[in-house]
Amino acid sequence: MEESLDPKDPAEFRALAQRMLNEMLDHLFALRDAPAWQPMPDSVRGSFNAPVPIDGAGAVSAYEDFVRDVLPYPNGNLHPRFWGWVQGTGTPLAMMADMLASGMNPHLAGFNQAPALVEQQVISWLVDVMGFPSGASGLLVSGGTMANTVALAVARHAKAGFDVREEGMQGARPRMMFYGSAETHSWASKAAELLGLGRRSFRKAAVDHAGRIDVGALAVCIAEDRANGLQPFAVVGTAGTVNTGQTDDLRSLAALCRKEELWFHVDGAFGALARLSANLRPIVQGLEEADSLGFDLHKWMYMPFESACVLVRDGAAHRATFASSAPYIAEQARGVIAGGLPFADLGLELTRSFKALKVWMSLKAYGVSTFARLIEQNVEQARYLGALVGAHPELELLAPVCLNVVCFRYVKPALDPAALNRLNEELLLRVQESGIAVPSSTVLDDKFALRVAIVNHRSRREDFDTLVDAVLRFGREA
């Protein structure tokens, strides 16, 4: 008898599916009463060393293993007091949209299908809210690193002066150079490696006292490299630096790139979405002048992973960087492949999942205005936490609170700098391991900082009171 993976008893599977949904919603609605994070017992950790199953134990057993060994031990990013790194929280509606997307399981290279139109509409909406022209193109990708790498590939192709796709980077030509600041995210170095440019092709300009790129120093770097026979081709500006949330002077960078005939890319991983708020938009002004933009919807639009976007002002240049053809994926005038595979022609992936559905449904359900208010709420919460820190003699604010990131430490005047760093590192771990909250860390001017990056729609002001109380308590006990 031939087999299938569809349930033999639909009623039995329907009951299991309903249980899964109910218990996951119970988990989400009880987050506030759960620890922000908890370590895995050795018994749980050891369970992942079991050999591969040859004969299955059934769907119910597999789900119960998930409930026991997986669900209680995430990194905590759904929790109201999770502010580590810059990780989004997801929403119940978007969770259900992901279920619907997986249920349909469409292939999003393109094809003549409604899911492709959903992604096209989402890109059109994002082009509009980011102030890009109507002819711009875009693609949903896995995260900010991929979005920025795709954009850098387009910049390389557009500015090389030779056919990079045909000839590669092995010829005896001047080294192609691109620029960012000392605060540019590490994606830039990884992208330089992946694209065959090499890390030496990424030059970091100095930053000012606030951590923003020094545009004058950048201009000197470009002039020096040209004088030395190198080939500058792109500049990366940052909207929301990962350390402190600062935004470069994007308008000045755009003007410099126009003058120098360089590609201007903005890494707006989380900060770009401040543009949704009329009140915060001035912070990221100039973003709309970029040749390309990368940003994460799973950060400050609260979507589940994976949901990021790259926009390219010149849609033809975007397509020319990646488009390819083969007889087995040739476009037809009618039928399933009518319209071709447009998304496959805009990035590295041929096979792509239906990432757009959760964004499409969320924008339809809540509208841009709701996300704008939540982003403003997070910024106000950061200012509130900054004021709490600034008002307490045992705490020290280590960077200005300009957007949604607060960096601070506990201070004991009797300790030398190295001991004070060790103390704050210990405090961070105690706060995390207690389950009270999850901030992360960074180092600013050789000072170990507790770093609170707020992209959490579940956080309340009282949660920041709880964090400060915990840091003070653990600091006094240490």
Side-chain angles (χ1 to χ4, degrees):
M1 181 177 178
E2 293 174 317
E3 291 190 79
S4 166
L5 292 174
D6 287 333
K8 293 183 175 63
D9 185 339
E12 182 181 276
F13 187 82
R14 189 183 298 274
L16 175 61
Q18 189 65 55
R19 177 186 166 193
M20 290 176 173
L21 173 59
N22 288 337
E23 292 181 357
M24 182 54 70
L25 290 174
D26 288 345
H27 173 75
L28 292 178
F29 299 151
L31 284 169
R32 183 163 288 280
D33 298 323
W37 180 80
Q38 59 182 351
M40 280 182 284
D42 290 342
S43 58
V44 171
R45 192 175 295 275
S47 70
F48 297 104
N49 295 323
V52 60
I54 302 302
D55 297 309
V60 172
S61 176
Y63 173 63
E64 288 174 348
D65 286 351
F66 164 79
V67 171
R68 183 187 65 244
D69 295 336
V70 180
L71 185 60
Y73 306 106
N75 72 333
N77 58 299
L78 275 65
H79 197 277
R81 292 189 297 278
F82 186 98
W83 308 297
W85 303 275
V86 192
Q87 295 186 15
T89 47
T91 69
L93 176 63
M95 177 191 79
M96 297 307 301
D98 267 347
M99 185 273 289
L100 298 174
S102 292
M104 287 190 72
N105 197 34
H107 191 294
L108 256 295
F111 293 102
N112 182 11
Q113 57 172 334
L117 300 182
V118 168
E119 181 155 346
Q120 287 175 1
Q121 186 168 47
V122 166
I123 293 297
S124 174
W125 288 344
L126 295 175
V127 163
D128 183 47
V129 297
M130 289 301 171
F132 270 51
S134 59
S137 66
L139 188 69
L140 296 184
V141 295
S142 59
T145 292
M146 184 56 69
N148 292 319
T149 299
V150 166
L152 191 66
V154 180
R156 183 191 63 168
H157 179 79
K159 294 293 186 178
F162 63 94
D163 190 340
V164 175
R165 297 186 68 179
E166 182 66 26
E167 301 180 35
M169 300 298 294
Q170 291 81 16
R173 298 184 178 88
R175 175 177 288 276
M176 295 182 69
M177 301 293 296
F178 71 105
Y179 306 85
S181 81
E183 293 293 309
T184 303
H185 189 277
S186 59
W187 72 263
S189 295
K190 294 174 73 173
E193 296 167 10
L194 179 66
L195 295 175
L197 296 162
R199 282 180 290 176
R200 282 192 293 161
S201 288
F202 176 52
R203 185 167 177 183
K204 299 178 183 180
V207 295
D208 64 17
H209 66 281
R212 298 169 300 212
I213 193 168
D214 184 326
V215 180
L218 170 62
V220 170
C221 291
I222 294 167
E224 287 176 347
D225 285 348
R226 282 208 167 110
N228 289 325
L230 304 177
Q231 183 184 347
F233 77 98
V235 169
V236 177
T238 300
T241 58
V242 70
N243 262 339
T244 61
Q246 293 285 347
T247 293
D248 292 331
D249 183 346
L250 302 179
R251 297 190 75 176
S252 293
L253 289 176
L256 177 66
C257 287
R258 285 193 296 268
K259 176 184 174 185
E260 299 287 347
E261 298 184 346
L262 303 178
W263 186 278
F264 178 36
H265 174 69
V266 173
D267 173 6
F270 66 91
L273 286 159
R275 200 177 189 281
L276 301 186
S277 161
N279 295 325
L280 300 174
R281 194 169 300 152
I283 295 174
V284 295
Q285 64 181 345
L287 174 155
E288 67 283 352
E289 300 181 47
D291 293 299
S292 56
L293 168 67
F295 56 103
D296 286 325
L297 301 163
H298 56 226
K299 287 179 179 165
W300 228 356
M301 251 183 74
Y302 316 104
M303 295 294 107
F305 300 115
E306 303 164 344
S307 183
C309 182
V310 56
L311 299 180
V312 180
R313 177 176 296 275
D314 184 344
H318 188 180
R319 189 178 187 280
T321 306
F322 294 103
S324 61
S325 61
Y328 46 83
I329 52 173
E331 181 180 350
Q332 301 291 333
R334 305 195 331 265
V336 176
I337 204 170
L341 305 179
F343 300 118
D345 286 343
L346 299 176
L348 297 171
E349 297 173 302
L350 176 63
T351 303
R352 302 174 63 251
S353 65
F354 194 8
K355 295 179 175 68
L357 185 61
K358 56 196 167 197
V359 185
W360 187 77
M361 289 184 67
S362 296
L363 283 168
K364 280 178 167 285
Y366 305 124
V368 171
S369 61
T370 297
F371 292 107
R373 289 194 302 273
L374 287 166
I375 289 168
E376 290 174 353
Q377 177 174 285
N378 286 160
V379 172
E380 287 301 318
Q381 289 167 339
R383 292 170 181 167
Y384 176 73
L385 174 58
L388 288 179
V389 170
H392 205 286
E394 292 175 82
L395 301 175
E396 180 184 6
L397 197 62
L398 294 179
V401 180
C402 61
L403 201 60
N404 64 327
V405 179
V406 183
C407 295
F408 71 101
R409 67 175 180 172
Y410 183 80
V411 291
K412 278 188 176 180
L415 296 180
D416 62 39
L420 197 54
N421 282 347
R422 290 193 297 272
L423 171 63
N424 278 277
E425 186 171 5
E426 177 64 21
L427 294 186
L428 173 74
L429 297 176
R430 290 193 189 186
V431 169
Q432 291 179 355
E433 290 170 345
S434 69
I436 293 171
V438 181
S440 56
S441 65
T442 191
V443 176
L444 302 173
D445 295 328
D446 297 323
K447 298 173 183 177
F448 186 94
L450 280 69
R451 177 180 167 279
V452 177
I454 309 167
V455 287
N456 193 324
H457 65 88
R458 297 187 174 102
S459 298
R460 303 172 185 164
R461 287 198 175 198
E462 66 199 55
D463 294 313
F464 302 99
D465 296 326
T466 298
L467 171 65
V468 168
D469 289 346
V471 170
L472 291 171
R473 174 162 55 85
F474 290 135
R476 291 163 183 166
E477 291 172 356

